């Protein structure tokens, strides 16, 4: 994938050189979501090391796409990544509502505070949706923050028809 421009946002696929910045932005995502579930008071930073290892493995995986927008250095001296978005494809069993069984997941789209409201998340999402389309994904799921929900709805996301439950061992 080359660079995709949209609202001035040059989107590119992440490379190993971006790992430190990807970890920084991913941590920022959880700080912004707040609440005990996403940012438990008892959590320490050891998960960041595990995140870096997994991200490095996933950078070249066929079922993962990590897109980034570079910072311009004009925002509070920040010249790292302005934004990133991570998506995965999961192969499930086909069914009448999921003909080929391929489900896409947008794992997280986050923009550094000094780069917000410039179209970076929109450009990243369009790049991820194009990638899903090229791979004939039957459905794309995501969890939206209150700030991100209007963008996702504008891009065609609707309420999920399945009730969501989870279990932690």
């Amino acid at each position: 994938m080359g660079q995709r421009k949209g609202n001035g946002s040059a989107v590119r696929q992440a490379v190993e050189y971006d790992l430190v910045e990807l970890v920084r932005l991913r941590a920022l995502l959880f700080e912004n979501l707040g609440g005990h579930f996403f940012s438990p008071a008892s959590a320490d930073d050891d998960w960041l090391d595990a995140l870096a290892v997994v991200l490095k493995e996933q950078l070249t995986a066929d079922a993962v796409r990590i897109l980034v927008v570079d910072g311009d250095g004009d925002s509070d001296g920040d010249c790292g990544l302005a934004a990133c978005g991570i998506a995965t494809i999961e192969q499930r069993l086909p069914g009448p509502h999921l003909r080929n069984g391929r489900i896409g997941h947008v794992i997280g789209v986050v923009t550094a505070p000094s780069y917000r409201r410039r179209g970076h998340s929109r450009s990243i999402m369009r790049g991820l949706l194009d990638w899903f389309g090229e791979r004939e994904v039957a459905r794309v799921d995501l969890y939206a923050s209150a700030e991100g929900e209007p963008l996702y709805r504008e891009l065609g996301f609707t309420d999920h028809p399945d009730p969501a439950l989870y279990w932690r061992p």
Side-chain angles (χ1 to χ4, degrees), residues 19-31:
L19 279 173
V20 170
E21 282 292 290
L22 288 170
V23 169
R24 178 184 68 87
L25 287 173
R26 185 81 178 152
L28 181 63
L29 174 71
F30 290 106
E31 289 173 16

Side-chain angles (χ1 to χ4, degrees), residues 9 23 37 40 48 71 74 88 102 109-110 115 117-119 122 127 132 146 154 158 162 164-165:
S9 303
V23 169
F37 179 80
L48 295 170
D74 292 338
T88 63
R102 278 189 220 114
V109 175
V110 61
Y115 289 101
R117 314 298 306 162
R118 299 187 192 184
R122 178 181 314 283
F132 286 133
E154 184 181 315
T158 61
D162 298 331
L165 301 174

